[in-house]
Amino acid sequence: MRITCPFCGERELGEFSYLGDAKPVRPAAGAGEDAVYDYVYLRDNVAGVMAENWYHGGGCRAWLKVTRNTLTHEISAVEPAAGAGARQVAK
Amino acid sequence: MKYSIFSLARAALSGHKNWQRTWRDAAPKDHYDVVIIGGGGHGLATAWFLASEFGIRNVAVLEKGWIGSGNAGRNTTIIRSNYGLPGNTGFYELSMKLWERMEQDLNYNAMVSQRGVLNLYHSDAQRDAYARRGNTMRINGIDAELLDQAALKKMLPFLNFDHARFPVQGGLLQRRGGTARHDAVVWGYAHAASELGVDIIQNCEVTGFVRDGNGKVTGVETSRGKIGAGKVGMAVAGSSSRVAAMAGMRLPIESHVLQAFVSEAIKPLIPGVMTFGAGHFYVSQSDKGGLVFGGDIDGYNSYAQRGNLPVMEDVCEGGMALIPMIGRVRLLRQWGGIMDMSMDGSPIIDKTPVDGLYLNAGWCYGGFKATPGSGFVFAHLLARDETHKEAALFRLDRFQRGAMIDEKGQGAQPNLH
């Protein structure tokens, strides 16, 4: 598996760290315990195409959103992860 | 059939051409008291204990492939009970005791070999941590010995005692730990359960649950038709989330791939199981002579049953750091299995919020050694609707209650356990 970083080009997997499913969104401060439990512990654990967070620590140190098939390891898209800095750089 | 010295002699004298099938190839009936989804070690052990200990013999085990095609055939065969946290300590010792009598119980040779499991330490802090773990084990009646460098130099002179960063200083040894023949474990449970009337149904994939008006699970839809059930138990390792989703549940589980490796066969070198405490590498030698070893999971969600090269490199580096001479041994084969990694690194054995559906999951990558214990406590839960005392902390709601069993202290990060 190789990941094509939008800033550095195609690099080997060892340069990246996996930060898990990109879908869970941190609940608002007053959202309650169930929302926090859901966010921290429960996962869809998709068998198929899922969006994931990866960190390019061995390269440009950018956070990336990688769209990957968990059944085949095939990567269909790599974008800068959401965030003001990433959006600015991506322009 | 019953195996004995006479049955072995008879089979040998007739040219090994008259061996019988060791379990019946059953066709599904309309209804069972208990249906177990998953014909791996845990599912088959559960069925056997249901029949032998709890008197429930109208049981079916449904396996989507064939017996031994999943993680039962894809592991590094280690058995041990060297855990330090409440919940784990007692449970794994229960499992260890069941390993010690398993071959007699099942009338099957599973090649259980108590050749010892040794965890090496490489710093003063790690020695203290292992001393503490060893003390915890001994307080709980489990064997543990803390060995110093001199003792290890006698036992294992080929270890890298002079490594500049990670010199081997000693180790924590559990002599009762060891290995067992992984395929024979599932074959043995299938053999013994089938003898007691359990139906083992291969090539039968569960595609959905049958529910009554109140939402209670009353059976399963399968690729071989509908099968009714008083209770349904899930023991499907890496597929737990997918099967639970059919019942509308989300679990605190991610599926990850773990690779393992076997070298070409060499003469006897490594007497027991060894783990490298400074990195992540563990190794034993099979009875055929191959070195069997592994390390970390690949670290990202996967259902692919195959891994990637960075972990292979990391594992081999760990091996070289510990035993420099194995750099001259060639790698024979490698494989990957799918682990259901729970959020605290410990298993879940519990009723689910769905009436009639029971869960046995989240073994991370330590499921093999748990096989007999897991089967016993899950059968207890299915038969009596009560959690066995050694599984009392493996509840599904522990994440909500903040009662995690986090042996590695990594938090809710499945890829780090």
Side-chain angles (χ1 to χ4, degrees):
Chain A
M1 208 162 100
R2 291 171 74 84
I3 296 177
T4 305
C5 171
F7 309 111
C8 311
E10 189 183 314
R11 298 297 181 92
E12 64 108 357
L13 191 57
E15 290 188 7
F16 300 85
S17 305
Y18 182 69
L19 279 307
D21 191 344
K23 196 175 159 197
V25 177
R26 191 187 179 89
E33 282 182 17
D34 286 349
V36 173
Y37 165 63
D38 193 294
Y39 167 69
V40 176
Y41 295 108
L42 296 183
R43 293 289 180 270
D44 290 338
N45 198 14
V46 176
V49 176
M50 79 185 267
E52 308 169 330
N53 290 318
W54 289 76
Y55 176 64
H56 194 185
C60 61
R61 298 166 68 195
W63 287 74
L64 305 174
K65 190 173 123 187
V66 175
T67 309
R68 190 177 64 92
N69 188 324
T70 59
L71 292 161
T72 62
H73 296 169
E74 185 196 355
I75 293 170
S76 50
V78 186
E79 312 157 47
R87 272 195 296 274
Q88 208 161 26
V89 173
K91 269 177 197 167
Chain B
M1 71 171 291
K2 186 102 180 139
Y3 295 106
S4 66
I5 188 107
F6 302 107
S7 78
L8 294 180
R10 197 161 54 238
L13 291 172
S14 61
H16 291 294
K17 285 179 181 152
N18 297 308
W19 285 107
Q20 292 169 21
R21 224 182 238 289
T22 188
W23 62 87
R24 289 172 296 112
D25 192 20
K29 293 193 284 193
D30 289 343
H31 190 273
Y32 292 92
D33 293 341
V34 179
V35 164
I36 309 282
I37 309 172
H42 293 232
L44 290 165
T46 304
W48 186 73
F49 282 113
L50 275 173
S52 65
E53 291 280 332
F54 300 99
I56 300 176
R57 298 192 173 189
N58 185 21
V59 174
V61 177
L62 311 181
E63 167 54 45
K64 74 175 172 188
W66 37 272
I67 301 303
S69 62
N71 290 349
R74 291 167 180 269
N75 62 73
T76 42
T77 78
I78 297 164
I79 61 176
R80 58 186 172 88
S81 58
N82 53 358
Y83 280 77
L85 286 190
N88 286 338
T89 312
F91 170 79
Y92 285 104
E93 179 58 12
L94 166 73
S95 200
M96 195 67 227
K97 284 184 176 142
L98 291 170
W99 281 113
E100 288 175 322
R101 47 175 259 214
M102 161 182 195
E103 292 165 321
Q104 288 75 19
D105 285 353
L106 299 182
N107 180 232
Y108 206 92
N109 179 11
M111 296 165 68
V112 173
S113 167
Q114 294 181 290
R115 53 183 73 182
V117 171
L118 175 68
N119 301 130
L120 298 168
Y121 61 77
H122 312 263
S123 67
D124 292 352
Q126 207 173 19
R127 178 199 59 215
D128 294 351
Y130 280 1
R132 183 169 186 268
R133 195 201 303 188
N135 288 340
T136 305
M137 290 163 64
R138 292 173 68 129
I139 287 166
N140 285 281
I142 306 164
D143 68 307
E145 289 166 54
L146 197 67
L147 303 179
D148 62 10
Q149 196 187 55
L152 288 188
K153 275 185 170 162
K154 247 188 245 176
M155 251 172 85
L156 304 159
F158 52 81
L159 289 182
N160 195 349
F161 294 97
D162 303 321
H163 194 289
R165 280 181 73 191
F166 310 120
V168 173
Q169 293 187 4
L172 181 66
L173 175 65
Q174 184 185 22
R175 288 191 197 272
R176 285 165 63 241
T179 58
R181 171 89 162 93
H182 54 335
D183 299 304
V185 172
V186 276
W187 296 337
Y189 277 121
H191 161 80
S194 182
E195 290 277 293
L196 295 183
V198 171
D199 279 357
I200 291 153
I201 303 163
Q202 303 181 84
N203 299 309
C204 182
E205 183 172 1
V206 170
T207 54
F209 290 99
V210 184
R211 319 260 299 248
D212 69 9
N214 300 323
K216 182 182 188 319
V217 168
T218 57
V220 288
E221 305 272 3
T222 78
S223 55
R224 294 177 71 175
K226 192 188 283 190
I227 302 172
K231 291 173 184 174
V232 176
M234 275 173 59
V236 295
S239 297
S240 298
S241 297
R242 284 200 275 185
V243 177
M246 294 180 205
M249 282 163 40
R250 288 169 82 221
L251 298 177
I253 280 175
E254 289 182 2
S255 296
H256 286 255
V257 66
L258 174 68
Q259 301 185 66
F261 309 87
V262 176
S263 78
E264 62 187 329
I266 56 173
K267 286 185 177 179
L269 169 72
I270 294 173
V273 180
M274 289 185 323
T275 75
F276 178 41
H280 197 175
F281 172 82
Y282 51 93
V283 62
S284 63
Q285 188 166 15
S286 81
D287 294 326
K288 285 191 287 187
L291 303 181
V292 183
F293 55 95
D296 281 316
I297 55 175
D298 276 34
Y300 47 85
N301 289 46
S302 175
Y303 286 92
Q305 287 199 331
R306 64 188 164 82
N308 263 302
L309 292 169
V311 165
M312 194 184 286
E313 187 182 24
D314 184 64
V315 170
C316 292
E317 280 173 0
M320 289 285 287
L322 186 62
I323 315 168
M325 69 177 168
I326 67 168
R328 307 186 68 154
V329 176
R330 282 171 297 189
L331 200 60
L332 192 65
R333 62 183 183 271
Q334 163 272 0
W335 66 91
I338 304 304
M339 315 292 121
D340 48 341
M341 303 298 294
S342 67
M343 289 295 186
D344 62 355
S346 295
I348 299 161
I349 301 175
D350 207 351
K351 292 184 205 179
T352 71
V354 178
D355 204 13
L357 183 62
Y358 298 74
L359 179 66
N360 179 334
W363 290 98
C364 300
Y365 56 144
F368 180 74
K369 66 180 161 296
T371 307
S374 159
F376 188 85
V377 299
F378 197 38
H380 185 282
L381 175 67
L382 281 159
R384 300 191 177 164
D385 271 316
E386 272 168 34
T387 301
H388 187 276
K389 71 175 168 59
E390 297 298 2
L393 304 184
F394 296 161
R395 306 302 294 266
L396 180 56
D397 66 354
R398 69 174 182 265
F399 304 94
Q400 253 165 323
R401 290 184 286 115
M404 272 72 76
I405 311 168
D406 189 352
E407 190 87 34
K408 261 184 120 175
Q410 301 274 32
Q413 291 283 338
N415 59 327
L416 301 181
H417 283 290

